Amino acid sequence: MKRRLTHITGGLLAAAALVWACSDGGTAPTPVPTTIELNETSISFVAVGATDQLTATVRDQNGNIMSSQTVGWSSNATSVATVSDLGLVTSAGNGNATITASAGSASATVSVTVAQVPAQVQKVSGDAQTGIVVQTLNDPLVVQVNDSEGTPIQGVTVSFAVSMNGGSVNPTSGATGATGQTQTDWTLGSTTGGHSVTATPGSGSGSASFTATAFQPGTPASAEKLEGDGQAGLVGFAVNIQPAMLVKDGAGSPLPGINVTFSVSGGGGTVAGGASSMVATDASGIARAVDWELGASPATNTLDADVAGTGITGDPATFTASGVNSSYDIEIVFLGTNWTSPTMAPFTSAEGTWETLIIGELPDVNFSSSPVAAGACGVPHPEINDVVDDLRLYAVLDSIDGPFGVLGAAGPCLVRTTGQLTVVGIMRFDSADVGLSVFPQVVLHEMAHAIGVGALWDNLGFLVNPSLPSSPGVDTYFSGPRANAEFDALGGDDYVAGDSVPVENTAALGQADGHWRETVLGLELMTPFVTSGMTNPLSRITTASLWDLGYQVNLAGSQAYTVPPAPPAMAGFQRIDLGDDLWRGPLYGVDPTGRVVRQIR
């Protein structure tokens, strides 16, 4: 009995010692991530740019949720799908990918499949043409197949079929290329009036219908040059106004369906990419040359127009154009010492772009007898006491508000009293943003403001119904006829929500009244946003607006752009607000001697 009691007592003492040890300095095992549970095991996308939010639940070795545990995300094929730090998966291209969530040594995966499905067939060009019965239309029918996010799809077979009044298409089907586009040529039937062709993808949904009007050709009696004669244009580029001939019958009525052949006869340029091109007159009796591009050297260029038939008054006719080098010069003065070759490179690139888009000489301003004081423009520039030809830009790189926020601000400081175009402009940028991938596009955008886009619209009377400080109930728009014509030609003729060209009219200072409207023009460079990872084109609309302001421009130097039928899909892309990017410093008018004769702001 005594030995047994001693054994029990010893066991109790051992247990007590264990309790004492745990309560006096001992520790429980540290929780570590052991398993990860995901809200999905697989994701299937039918569009590029679509997103899906993953969530991860992390548990420790005891099965308890570790709510504060950081989860890392990665993709083994970013060309197929990317994942953000918060688990947002974005499709990037067709194929398969694996998304991995990890915490410590624990991990879980989700398989991702991206297979685009056609959801939209968009007409690119070739619609609403006019042509002669049983003849092939001048322009092919071009369609683009997109998925539900508006991203083009490659490799989709599109069938083209005549749906009214006969005729034929060749080919009857075609596979879309890398841009999601394919095309066919349309030969009209023998019936005058309306014709139509339908384009349908072999899978998915959507279709597009093209229309055309067929005419029987009459007998032309007279022809005349309608427009496009006597221009000047940049060598190697197409002229701003394509030469046009008006053809009439003996009664003076316009004749549709009459062939006019345009042929290069001097200067070494091309028309429609070759030596000659045949164009049929439209319903208004007008035949317009296609892409008359001037020769590579400064010279007089000529284009002959020959109407099919004999005994026609005014036929043939010759159009002339002067091929010139750009004489518009931009001088960039980099203020301060914190500039490097990489940070200056976007400025010199933008300078070259604008010297291609603006080609006409402006009057020099000689400040030698009437110097402008150092710093008068609101930045630490030196005294202006020399000749400016044609534009001087003072560029400043300093701290504004840290990353993002206001990336930069630009605008005129001195403008000519005659014409009111910029002599000296200011460009100020935040040093915290120079490493952004979009910085070169931001510089190009801000240089446009310094030249006058947005900044001079109101001064020159082209800004109608300004929204600032307040203008409720009316639409804000840019009234320049050249910009409006380009807006309509690039797809804006379907815009009916207000007047064109629509100007941003939100309440935000710096956005309103100085940019194109984002919800209408989408990715165009001169809206108040730039979108990372996408092209933000500098379109003919912006270049034409400078023509309206009084600059001599080269429209053909603009980037390709179409007004979107609806706001473009931006899923998966970063839209960067440029903030208050219109320069708010002093603005003066100066005469040719540099004398300040007017304080505008």
Side-chain angles (χ1 to χ4, degrees):
M1 287 294 289
K2 188 174 183 179
R3 288 196 301 270
R4 187 173 183 180
L5 179 59
T6 302
H7 177 74
I8 294 172
T9 303
L12 291 172
L13 290 172
L18 178 62
V19 171
W20 175 84
C22 291
S23 63
D24 187 21
T27 58
T30 301
V32 294
T34 305
T35 59
I36 299 178
E37 300 168 1
L38 299 178
N39 61 323
E40 298 183 67
T41 58
S42 63
I43 302 173
S44 294
F45 290 115
V46 296
V48 170
T51 60
D52 197 327
Q53 180 66 57
L54 293 177
T55 57
T57 302
V58 181
R59 296 182 183 274
D60 63 17
Q61 64 269 38
N62 296 316
N64 298 317
I65 295 176
M66 303 179 70
S67 58
S68 62
Q69 179 65 46
T70 299
V71 176
W73 299 90
S74 63
S75 168
N76 73 334
T78 55
S79 62
V80 175
T82 62
V83 61
S84 73
D85 293 342
L86 299 178
L88 180 67
V89 180
T90 303
S91 57
N94 292 310
N96 298 300
T98 299
I99 302 298
T100 301
S102 59
S105 61
S107 65
T109 61
V110 173
S111 60
V112 178
T113 301
V114 182
Q116 289 176 283
V117 174
Q120 178 193 49
V121 181
Q122 179 181 348
K123 292 182 288 187
V124 177
S125 60
D127 193 25
Q129 296 184 70
T130 300
I132 303 173
V133 292
V134 302
Q135 290 197 17
T136 302
L137 292 172
N138 289 324
D139 300 326
L141 311 185
V142 182
V143 296
Q144 179 173 310
V145 180
N146 299 328
D147 60 26
S148 57
E149 292 292 330
T151 305
I153 309 177
Q154 183 176 6
V156 176
T157 299
V158 177
S159 297
F160 297 92
V162 175
S163 49
M164 184 173 70
N165 275 343
S168 62
V169 289
N170 183 33
T172 56
S173 65
T176 56
T179 61
Q181 296 181 8
T182 187
Q183 66 183 51
T184 191
D185 292 320
W186 184 6
T187 300
L188 300 175
S190 58
T191 303
T192 59
H195 292 61
S196 63
V197 163
T198 301
T200 308
S203 61
S205 60
S207 64
S209 181
F210 291 84
T211 63
T213 304
F215 291 91
Q216 288 284 357
T219 302
S222 66
E224 62 183 86
K225 291 187 286 187
L226 184 65
E227 62 178 347
D229 194 22
Q231 300 179 75
L234 189 62
V235 294
F237 285 86
V239 294
N240 288 342
I241 302 173
Q242 292 301 320
M245 291 289 289
L246 173 61
V247 181
K248 299 178 181 179
D249 62 17
S253 299
L255 271 181
I258 303 299
N259 287 330
V260 179
T261 300
F262 293 95
S263 304
V264 174
S265 53
T270 60
V271 60
S276 65
S277 172
M278 181 182 294
V279 180
T281 56
D282 61 16
S284 300
I286 299 171
R288 191 177 301 276
V290 178
D291 290 333
W292 181 25
E293 184 177 298
L294 304 181
S297 301
T300 297
N301 289 245
T302 56
L303 184 72
D304 295 337
D306 188 5
V307 181
T310 59
I312 304 170
T313 303
D315 175 62
T318 298
F319 293 84
T320 63
S322 298
V324 300
N325 291 319
S326 177
S327 57
Y328 185 73
D329 180 66
I330 299 175
E331 174 196 3
I332 301 176
V333 179
F334 296 98
L335 300 177
T337 60
N338 54 346
W339 292 94
T340 65
S341 295
T343 56
M344 290 189 290
F347 291 81
T348 54
S349 175
E351 174 188 349
T353 297
W354 283 113
E355 288 178 347
T356 299
L357 293 170
I358 303 175
I359 62 174
E361 172 81 12
L362 294 179
D364 293 351
V365 178
N366 188 346
F367 291 91
S368 59
S369 60
S370 302
V372 173
C377 288
V379 297
H381 64 79
E383 179 183 77
I384 306 173
N385 55 16
D386 55 351
V387 177
V388 176
D389 168 40
D390 295 277
L391 172 66
R392 177 174 296 167
L393 297 176
Y394 289 112
V396 180
L397 188 63
D398 58 17
S399 177
I400 298 178
D401 57 6
F404 299 101
V406 178
L407 277 68
C413 169
L414 305 178
V415 298
R416 295 165 173 82
T417 51
T418 301
Q420 299 188 56
L421 300 181
T422 309
V423 183
V424 174
I426 303 300
M427 301 179 70
R428 181 171 178 252
F429 294 89
D430 195 331
S431 55
D433 297 314
V434 296
L436 295 177
S437 61
V438 298
F439 187 68
Q441 295 183 79
V442 174
V443 172
L444 190 63
H445 175 109
E446 298 305 333
M447 197 171 291
H449 284 323
I451 291 169
V453 176
L456 295 179
W457 290 351
D458 197 13
N459 294 43
L460 295 173
F462 291 106
L463 182 66
V464 182
N465 301 325
S467 65
L468 295 174
S470 176
S471 183
V474 293
D475 196 45
T476 307
Y477 64 96
F478 180 84
S479 63
R482 300 294 188 184
N484 272 267
E486 293 300 327
F487 177 78
D488 289 345
L490 294 173
D493 53 346
D494 293 330
Y495 174 70
V496 295
D499 293 298
S500 60
V501 181
V503 169
E504 193 64 60
N505 56 359
T506 62
L509 182 67
Q511 290 187 359
D513 298 348
H515 300 83
W516 304 133
R517 194 172 304 167
E518 171 83 6
T519 56
V520 179
L521 280 86
L523 293 172
E524 214 280 348
L525 182 68
M526 294 314 297
T527 68
F529 295 83
V530 292
T531 302
S532 179
M534 299 185 76
T535 299
N536 297 263
L538 180 56
S539 75
R540 290 171 65 101
I541 300 170
T542 296
T543 307
S545 74
L546 289 170
W547 193 358
D548 288 320
L549 295 186
Y551 289 98
Q552 183 182 351
V553 302
N554 168 34
L555 291 177
S558 310
Q559 293 176 294
Y561 169 81
T562 301
V563 177
M570 298 294 187
F573 297 96
Q574 184 179 19
R575 295 171 66 247
I576 300 174
D577 186 345
L578 294 176
D580 186 4
D581 74 327
L582 283 173
W583 177 251
R584 304 289 171 184
L587 180 62
Y588 304 100
V590 295
D591 67 13
T593 68
R595 185 171 59 94
V596 174
V597 296
R598 181 187 176 201
Q599 181 172 344
I600 302 170
R601 181 177 62 233

